[in-house]
Amino acid sequence: MNKRGHVLNGLLLALGLGFVIEPGLDAATARTIAEITVPIVLGALFPDVDTAFGRHRKTLHSLPVLGIFLAYPLVFGNLQYVWIGVLTHYVLDVVGSRRGIALFHPLSDTEYGMPTGVTTSSKYADLVTVIITAVELVVFWAINAYVVSLDLDISTAASEAAAGLGL
């Protein structure tokens, strides 16, 4: 997908996740949406920084990079929603575009994708982005409802984790 698709994905995810995390049509929902929009959109754009250095869809489009963003809030107590943007960027590139990404870079430059994608210049790119985003929102809703709350106070979790490690 192109940058426009990743921004669209990030904005729609933030809007949808705001309702997943804080259901309702009130100020609390609006605050949640405002709180998570910037981190999710920044995360959705971050992997494409590798267009300026490194090799695009390899350098910053890998599982080790996602692992860093997943661990960051636990270690430092901030950036808790950026990983969602990074993860969904990967999903959009794997499922939504024809090229795929090098998930195991730097160990392997093999790009993984699915035959469901379109070219980034396709007239259907925005439609594919919206469909994939809807599926992602259903998955996040299920995770929030049945696995773990997405509205975790990461700073508290980080403090507890640090205490458990004796830090």
Side-chain angles (χ1 to χ4, degrees), residues 37-154:
T37 296
V38 171
I40 289 174
V41 171
L42 288 175
L45 290 172
F46 179 79
D48 282 344
V49 170
D50 67 8
T51 59
F53 72 91
R55 294 169 31 206
H56 184 54
R57 293 208 180 179
K58 290 184 179 20
T59 306
L60 297 176
H61 285 73
S62 64
L63 293 177
V65 171
L66 178 60
I68 290 168
F69 279 98
L70 282 167
Y72 205 92
L74 296 174
V75 175
F76 298 107
N78 60 9
L79 299 180
Q80 58 260 40
Y81 293 101
V82 175
W83 70 270
I84 292 173
V86 174
L87 174 65
T88 57
H89 181 115
Y90 293 0
V91 170
L92 205 54
D93 281 354
V94 169
V95 179
S97 74
R98 288 205 176 151
R99 182 173 167 197
I101 62 175
L103 284 171
F104 302 104
H105 182 79
L107 301 175
S108 169
D109 284 344
T110 302
E111 293 182 356
Y112 297 91
M114 297 181 73
T116 55
V118 297
T119 61
T120 56
S121 61
S122 169
K123 66 180 181 178
Y124 300 109
D126 287 344
L127 176 61
V128 169
T129 298
V130 170
I131 291 168
I132 292 170
T133 303
V135 172
E136 290 170 338
L137 282 170
V138 169
V139 169
F140 280 123
W141 170 82
I143 290 169
N144 187 67
Y146 299 110
V147 180
V148 64
S149 172
L150 295 175
D151 188 25
L152 297 174
D153 181 356
I154 299 298

